[in-house]
Amino acid sequence: MSGYLVTDTRKVTTRRLREMKEAGVKIAMLTSYDYTTAKILDAAGVDCLLVGDSASNVMAGHATTLPITLDQMIYHAMCVSRGAKRAFVVCDMPFGSYQIDRTDALRNAVRIMKETGCDALKLEGGAAIADTIRSITQAGIPVVGHLGLTPQSIHQFGSYAVRAREEAEAQTLLNDVETLYQAGCCAIVLEKIPAALTAKAVKAVPIPMIGIGAGEADGQVLVVDDMLGKNNDFSPKFLRRYANLHEIMTDAVGRYIADVKEGSFPAAEESY
Ligand code: KIV
């Protein structure tokens, strides 16, 4: 059971993430949105917990990540930070909290750091937001970049198809990797791009590339509800399911309902 568990219990930091890349130790990241799940993932040895704005879909049932607010992200990040001892906790800056101007972005970044206890922020985009990222990293706040299929731009893309298949977009992405590194990013998430392009990005800079639907990288990230099979109507090619919580929960709830209805719960030993 414990063969896969991490024995290095030191807190994961920006420095440790770089060392992991240098040493060829893969980084395991999962999303998390609440205290109890964060505690389980952290104890199991996940290196990074991403308080993703996918909370907008997974927690709130929205069709995109756009509606989630700064206050809602702060609430989720606070809960996750309380549950994490070892993992490096990254909070997404939600749509609208960093695109307006640099001062507004920095104010919001500082607010998230102060109120949540997370370790870093994640922002979607390349050269267009490099100055914003620079002003946040220069304030001493670690930033994780996010390139490729950036869900906050879904209306501009028009679909969730793989990005950067064409040479021009692939070259722009590689330029963005370098730009984000120069702007001070401590890692970059690469979402839904060809594996061959990810391999080039991995070699281009010394900071870790964390892939999702991007082939082999320095690390991987998945949405926890998807990989645990809680959400059984989302099955992209890149998703590996490690459990079927949908089935397990439906079965458990079904048995509970039956016990209540037939009066076998609570039993005498479950009563005061
Ligand atoms: O919000 C999120 O869950 C993410 C991952 C898909 C990388 O950004």
Side-chain angles (χ1 to χ4, degrees):
M1 170 75 177
S2 65
Y4 56 85
L5 293 180
V6 170
T7 48
D8 183 348
T9 54
R10 286 177 297 167
K11 166 81 186 160
V12 180
T13 60
T14 50
R15 185 170 164 180
R16 180 86 191 104
L17 290 175
R18 276 245 207 164
E19 287 170 358
M20 286 170 85
K21 173 162 177 147
E22 275 161 28
V25 176
K26 300 280 188 187
I27 298 162
M29 179 189 255
L30 282 174
T31 65
S32 186
Y33 316 106
D34 70 276
Y35 168 76
T36 308
T37 309
K39 221 173 139 190
I40 294 170
L41 304 183
D42 184 76
V46 163
D47 302 305
C48 302
L49 290 173
L50 171 63
V51 187
D53 58 359
S54 51
S56 180
N57 313 95
V58 178
M59 295 284 109
H62 292 297
T64 72
T65 59
L66 276 69
I68 199 161
T69 66
L70 183 61
D71 286 345
Q72 287 165 342
M73 286 303 297
I74 286 175
Y75 173 73
H76 286 296
M78 244 183 224
C79 300
V80 170
S81 292
R82 283 190 208 114
K85 286 200 174 79
R86 173 184 172 273
F88 185 74
V89 178
V90 182
C91 178
D92 265 340
M93 289 195 74
F95 178 66
S97 70
Y98 60 97
Q99 292 91 344
I100 294 166
D101 66 48
R102 260 191 283 165
T103 309
D104 188 50
L106 185 56
R107 188 180 300 112
N108 290 333
V110 168
R111 190 177 158 216
I112 300 174
M113 295 304 287
K114 268 190 185 292
E115 295 183 23
T116 70
C118 73
D119 300 305
L121 305 176
K122 178 163 80 59
L123 281 73
E124 296 183 7
I129 60 155
D131 287 343
T132 299
I133 290 180
R134 195 170 296 105
S135 67
I136 297 173
T137 57
Q138 281 175 352
I141 300 172
V143 171
V144 174
H146 187 159
L147 297 170
L149 177 65
T150 45
Q152 291 177 14
S153 302
I154 189 60
H155 295 306
Q156 196 172 49
F157 294 150
S159 94
Y160 286 96
V162 174
R163 303 300 308 177
R165 282 195 194 277
E166 306 300 328
E167 184 49 36
E169 192 179 336
Q171 193 49 57
T172 302
L173 188 139
L174 287 177
N175 295 344
D176 283 344
V177 164
E178 179 61 33
T179 303
L180 293 190
Y181 167 58
Q182 294 298 341
C185 281
C186 62
I188 299 175
V189 167
L190 298 176
E191 181 164 353
K192 257 190 146 180
I193 61 169
L197 181 57
T198 300
K200 287 184 188 167
V202 164
K203 286 204 194 100
V205 289
I207 55 171
M209 298 294 122
I210 314 286
I212 173 162
E216 192 185 347
D218 300 305
Q220 297 293 324
V221 57
L222 285 176
V223 170
V224 70
D225 290 56
D226 297 340
M227 64 82 77
L228 291 177
K230 214 168 167 183
N231 170 13
N232 67 354
D233 45 34
F234 180 66
S235 300
K237 178 180 170 177
F238 67 78
L239 176 62
R240 187 178 293 181
R241 282 219 175 85
Y242 288 85
N244 190 342
L245 284 197
H246 187 273
E247 207 173 287
I248 291 170
M249 289 174 75
T250 305
D251 175 64
V253 172
R255 287 187 290 113
Y256 165 74
I257 294 168
D259 289 355
V260 170
K261 301 277 182 196
E262 71 184 27
S264 67
F265 176 79
E269 63 273 21
E270 289 158 334
S271 306
Y272 298 97

